[in-house]
Amino acid sequence: MAETMRRNFDVLVVGAGPAGLAAATSAARVGAKVGVVDDNPAVGGQIWRGEVSKATSDASNWAAKLHSLGVEVICGAQIVHHDIASRVLFAETRFALLEIRFSKLILATGARERLLPFPGWTLPNVMAAGGLQAMVKSGLPISGKRVVVAGSGPLLLAVAAYLRAHGAKVLAICEQASWNSLASFASGLLSHPGKLRQALILQRQLLGIPFWTNSWPVRALGREALERIIISRNGTQREISCDYLACGFHLVPNVELASLLGCALEGGCVRVDDAQQTSVAGVFCAGEPTGIGGLELALIEGQIAGIAAAGKSERLRELRGRRRKAQQFARRLEKAFKLRPELKTLPDSGTIVCRCEDVTHARLARHSSWRDAKNQTRCGMGPCQGRICGPATQFLFDWDPGSVRPPLFPTRVESLASVSYIAPAEHSQLTGERQ
Amino acid sequence: MPDQVQLRVDGKAVTVPAGATVAVAVALAAGFCRRSITGEPRGPVCGMGICFECRVMINGEPHCRSCQILAEANMDVRTNG
Ligand SMILES: Cc1cc2nc3c(=O)[nH]c(=O)nc-3n(C[C@H](O)[C@H](O)[C@H](O)COP(=O)(O)OP(=O)(O)OC[C@H]3O[C@@H](n4cnc5c(N)ncnc54)[C@H](O)[C@@H]3O)c2cc1C
Ligand code: FES
């Protein structure tokens, strides 16, 4: 049986991305005993993945700050279950179960990419855009490899610049949005000087890489792995040979944990008040789960949540002003990269939509709701628990994602057996989710 | 800490930089991580622990997400696990 470790904090932060790091340091600085839990092997979240070991990086600066403030950081641990009424979360590592008690909780669980199915998208080396970047940050050699970056959103540019800087031949960036909507987004940057500066730096880094609007992948081809892709650009198709396709359609907030704890959602995001507190008293939320807003907003929201969770109020006024401004940018982002309806017609009848259970588009199209499709086809019942196919079917069929049930991630039998808070009747259902 | 780590993927020795994930070792040695229930080859997709396409067996433990686990010396990794 897995060993059980117990911890107790004034403020527990879930997620060690920018929002979680800002929250933890802000709460610790005003005297709270703080703990941070993250699934990743190191702190930094998505944007600063793999940078903590570098001497002078944002991630290593934050890690040093956490250390000097006495914050306990637990990496490689996923929150899988809870007893929110008793203020306890359960996390699982590869070797142990953690029972973590807290007075206040801050959820900073970030976002993931929206992946949309098209024929061939399940071939090895067709990856999420940030997914390929994450693999390179984790040591995958990319030098000399031919990469097409596709999908939607500013992440495509960041990924293309990163891959190029590491030696990849980026053949093209294919953005589904139209030139017009991007142009009005770009002109809006004038009122956000920081963002404008970043955009100009990116532009320089991307010099010479074709940037195509009105463009998206329609088919990936290859035998055991990707060999070629077909791109539709302004209605004309062309074939490109490549080693990787890095493809993601903007981001979706990770609201599963918040939802499991009973926090109210609004428009797919966690609803928070002026102090970043959710509808559940004592549970705060910061960063992408409250709405996709990027790094700056994540840092501001994290600070507000940290200070408020520690029961203080200094600096909140100033931070709220900055938050309002950053939120305006987030709204522009959403509008500019809205998905076009043509993308709904990309999968053909045989295209797999649910990758865990290999459920095809034709089998799903017969059903009228996510719930119905789940019961009849096992779509969304595999180990990813609908994290990939949920947002896809929401876009393709307008299905509502429905409620989240524990455990949050597939979990080991023995660790759940040692959790006294779970009724025995739930066990078979829990472990049945495990492939 | 040594700057290289050697491990085995399906019995084949592979060397990766220290700090690399098991997914990287599998990509270099095997090209894919698992077969889907209809037999398709699958490799990492999200790179962040969410899609579960990168599952392998590590030291006899099945269903490990190779993108979230750092490679360690002498690890025994099996694809399709
Ligand atoms: C794959 C990817 C790559 C990106 N790359 C860039 C980039 O290069 N440049 C850029 O400007 N922006 C990038 N972004 C956007 C960037 O993530 C945001 O702008 C911002 O950094 C979000 O900060 P955050 O703290 O809200 O979330 P994140 O940085 O996503 O951090 C959330 C953390 O919570 C953890 N977590 C979630 N659920 C659980 C759980 N149940 N148990 C334990 N831990 C959990 C995750 O492991 C993660 O570390 C990327 C986004 C994604 C999804
Ligand atoms: S690549 Fe998605 S979980 Fe590892």
Side-chain angles (χ1 to χ4, degrees):
Chain A
M1 184 175 288
E3 172 199 359
T4 305
M5 284 158 49
R6 292 188 172 77
R7 289 288 185 281
N8 199 337
F9 300 108
D10 298 332
V11 177
L12 171 65
V13 182
V14 181
L21 293 172
T25 45
S26 301
R29 206 171 270 142
V30 292
K33 182 182 175 207
V34 182
V36 184
V37 178
D38 198 294
D39 182 27
N40 281 345
V43 303
Q46 300 311 330
I47 185 166
W48 297 327
R49 176 183 292 274
E51 288 183 11
V52 77
S53 54
K54 295 185 187 151
T56 53
S57 65
D58 288 317
S60 60
N61 290 342
W62 281 103
K65 249 185 246 174
L66 291 180
H67 185 72
S68 69
L69 288 164
V71 174
E72 184 175 353
V73 180
I74 306 166
C75 281
Q78 278 184 314
I79 305 294
V80 290
H81 213 306
H82 74 97
D83 178 4
I84 190 68
S86 314
R87 309 259 133 186
V88 188
L89 288 188
F90 298 99
E92 196 182 62
T93 70
R94 271 179 77 206
F95 307 107
L97 178 73
L98 278 112
E99 180 187 302
I100 314 173
R101 294 179 176 274
F102 53 85
S103 311
K104 297 285 165 51
L105 176 65
I106 302 178
L107 306 175
T109 48
R112 60 181 178 272
E113 287 170 272
R114 183 186 287 104
L115 305 183
L116 297 180
F118 52 87
W121 77 305
T122 53
L123 279 170
N125 299 345
V126 176
M127 296 184 64
L132 179 58
Q133 182 191 38
M135 282 285 286
V136 175
K137 287 182 178 182
S138 310
L140 182 76
I142 199 74
S143 185
K145 299 287 186 204
R146 298 160 305 164
V147 185
V148 173
V149 179
S152 197
L155 180 58
L156 302 186
L157 305 181
V159 168
Y162 181 88
L163 296 176
R164 175 188 243 189
H166 288 76
K169 287 192 200 124
V170 181
L171 303 179
I173 303 169
C174 307
E175 166 62 61
Q176 59 89 36
S178 70
W179 182 251
N180 280 349
S181 67
L182 294 193
S184 72
F185 175 70
S187 66
L189 289 181
L190 291 175
S191 52
H192 299 270
K195 301 276 180 198
L196 184 62
R197 204 164 35 246
Q198 280 166 21
L200 292 174
I201 294 173
L202 259 181
Q203 195 188 25
R204 202 164 343 118
Q205 290 169 338
L206 295 172
L207 219 61
I209 298 177
F211 178 76
W212 298 335
T213 53
N214 286 320
S215 304
W216 54 86
V218 293
R219 186 175 287 273
L221 302 153
R223 284 177 300 270
E224 289 282 278
L226 176 72
E227 292 165 18
R228 287 162 297 143
I229 57 162
I230 299 174
I231 293 287
S232 163
R233 181 187 178 204
N234 292 328
T236 310
Q237 297 196 353
R238 68 169 69 192
E239 199 171 293
I240 306 177
S241 297
C242 57
D243 302 304
Y244 291 96
L245 172 61
C247 183
F249 293 85
H250 207 33
L251 304 175
V252 257
N254 292 328
V255 298
E256 287 75 12
L257 177 54
S259 184
L260 186 66
L261 299 180
C263 304
L265 305 183
E266 203 171 275
C269 302
V270 179
R271 196 178 77 209
V272 288
D273 66 12
D274 216 26
Q276 300 293 137
Q277 188 164 210
T278 68
S279 63
V280 177
V283 178
F284 296 73
C285 186
E288 306 289 44
T290 67
I292 301 303
L295 174 62
E296 196 184 339
L297 186 57
L299 289 171
I300 299 169
E301 289 188 357
Q303 291 176 69
I304 295 176
I307 295 168
K312 302 284 189 235
S313 59
E314 56 256 29
R315 293 194 57 229
L316 284 187
R317 248 177 87 96
E318 175 235 327
L319 286 166
R320 282 181 182 136
R322 286 170 52 202
R323 180 177 58 188
R324 251 191 311 279
K325 181 112 203 223
Q327 281 167 337
Q328 285 167 7
F329 175 77
R331 277 192 289 274
R332 286 216 173 91
L333 205 65
E334 195 181 312
K335 207 167 132 217
F337 296 100
K338 198 168 157 33
L339 297 183
R340 58 176 62 235
E342 291 99 307
L343 299 174
K344 294 187 190 195
T345 63
L346 289 184
D348 59 28
S349 59
T351 304
I352 284 169
V353 175
C354 166
R355 309 174 62 114
C356 296
E357 299 286 334
D358 282 2
V359 185
T360 59
H361 188 271
R363 286 178 61 204
L364 290 175
R366 290 184 213 133
H367 299 282
S368 57
S369 71
W370 173 240
R371 199 193 161 89
D372 191 29
K374 259 180 121 161
N375 288 336
Q376 304 296 322
T377 68
R378 288 194 53 82
C379 175
M381 306 273 280
C384 98
Q385 300 181 358
R387 282 181 175 79
I388 304 297
C389 61
T393 56
Q394 191 172 20
F395 175 69
L396 293 172
F397 305 113
D398 294 318
W399 287 346
D400 223 9
S403 61
V404 179
R405 293 209 301 186
L408 210 48
F409 286 96
T411 179
R412 283 193 300 274
V413 188
E414 66 270 33
S415 66
L416 279 176
S418 61
V419 174
S420 51
Y421 298 90
I422 302 173
E426 277 184 53
H427 279 182
S428 55
Q429 170 218 327
L430 298 176
T431 50
E433 302 254 334
R434 179 77 191 244
Q435 270 210 335
Chain B
M1 195 169 75
D3 46 355
Q4 301 272 308
V5 174
Q6 198 187 70
L7 61 164
R8 283 187 315 281
V9 177
D10 295 334
K12 190 169 142 189
V14 52
T15 304
V16 294
T21 55
V22 174
V24 170
V26 175
L28 295 176
F32 75 101
C33 292
R34 67 178 198 105
R35 294 254 167 213
S36 76
I37 57 174
T38 60
E40 288 189 355
R42 297 282 171 81
V45 178
C46 71
M48 57 184 277
I50 278 186
C51 72
F52 287 74
E53 287 284 40
C54 65
R55 276 170 294 157
V56 293
M57 187 188 277
I58 301 180
N59 297 339
E61 191 192 334
H63 308 303
C64 296
R65 295 167 303 159
S66 59
C67 73
Q68 292 298 89
I69 298 172
L70 300 184
E72 288 164 18
N74 304 319
M75 256 181 179
D76 178 34
V77 179
R78 303 289 164 105
T79 57
N80 217 12

